[in-house]
Amino acid sequence: MDLSWLGHACFRLRGRDVTILTDPYASDGFGYPELSTNANIVTISNDHPHHAGIAKIEGNPKVLRGPGEYEIGGVLIWGVRTARPQNGASSGAPAKNTAFIIQIEELTVCHLGDLASAPLTPEELTHIKDADVLLVPVGGNCTINATQAARIVSQVEPKLVVPMHYATDETRGRLALDEVDRFCKELGATEAPPRSRLSITPTSLPSEPTVVLLAPPRANQ
């Protein structure tokens, strides 16, 4: 499986036969360039335009928006509703969020979406604990911050940890998000060099949780 980061919470997962897009953004006034890609499947964690911009995604994809169990093109996907933040939508976090667990090419990838609280509940963890790759928001403000994200990593114990939803050149001055360095310090991964993409197989997974930074999204368009 090839994994690329397209900005904010949007990733592209490419298997042999299926391409999956997570949380595509609408680019108007957002900072990131307009998405130009196609997909067979799109997962939407919540209905905010930064996570649900599907209008220009090509390929007539199947769009998954909520909890449930799905099998599409040989890919198994579970949507898991996560708990609302204690202070509800007034925090700026979405009123509802769905984490998606995706089984593709003998790998399990979990995209946490706009997760708004930590730690995970026992019920949430039941579904998410077997993730090989964890795509986790770390930027705070409208989602979990670096300390909360680190706590979730310790709960899930994935092999690869890919941060998302943090400040970049595209979003600084437009969105109130923390820098990714805070999360890297929490996990002792200050020397992690950015990569343009990841090619992952079950045998290439590290033995211990490893933080991987993906390159700025403009390099992946």
Side-chain angles (χ1 to χ4, degrees), residues 159-173:
K159 299 304 183 184
L160 291 173
V161 182
V162 182
M164 64 176 179
H165 206 291
Y166 56 83
T168 64
D169 289 345
E170 289 79 8
T171 61
R172 290 185 190 99

Side-chain angles (χ1 to χ4, degrees), residues 69-177:
E69 183 175 339
Y70 311 90
E71 182 174 0
I72 305 168
V75 176
L76 296 175
I77 301 176
W78 290 268
V80 178
R81 180 76 78 213
T82 64
R84 294 179 61 177
Q86 291 182 352
N87 54 349
S90 62
S91 66
K96 295 181 180 180
N97 180 71
T98 303
F100 284 96
I101 298 91
I102 302 165
Q103 287 189 350
I104 178 173
E105 305 297 350
E106 299 181 40
L107 294 162
T108 302
V109 180
C110 176
H111 184 281
L112 289 173
D114 226 356
L115 190 69
S117 60
L120 296 171
T121 67
E123 182 179 359
E124 292 164 353
L125 189 58
T126 296
H127 297 280
I128 294 171
K129 65 180 180 180
D130 294 326
D132 300 309
V133 183
L134 185 66
L135 310 178
V136 56
V138 302
N141 297 288
C142 62
T143 187
I144 55 174
N145 61 28
T147 301
Q148 292 171 307
R151 188 172 183 182
I152 287 175
V153 170
S154 70
Q155 286 184 286
V156 178
E157 297 184 328
K159 299 304 183 184
L160 291 173
V161 182
V162 182
M164 64 176 179
H165 206 291
Y166 56 83
T168 64
D169 289 345
E170 289 79 8
T171 61
R172 290 185 190 99
R174 298 172 183 264
L175 297 178
L177 293 171

Side-chain angles (χ1 to χ4, degrees), residues 41-72:
I41 304 167
V42 175
T43 62
I44 303 292
S45 68
N46 67 88
D47 60 5
H48 192 284
H50 294 171
H51 298 261
I54 63 171
K56 297 186 178 180
I57 305 304
E58 299 178 354
N60 192 29
K62 175 68 175 178
V63 179
L64 309 181
R65 291 182 176 272
E69 183 175 339
Y70 311 90
E71 182 174 0
I72 305 168

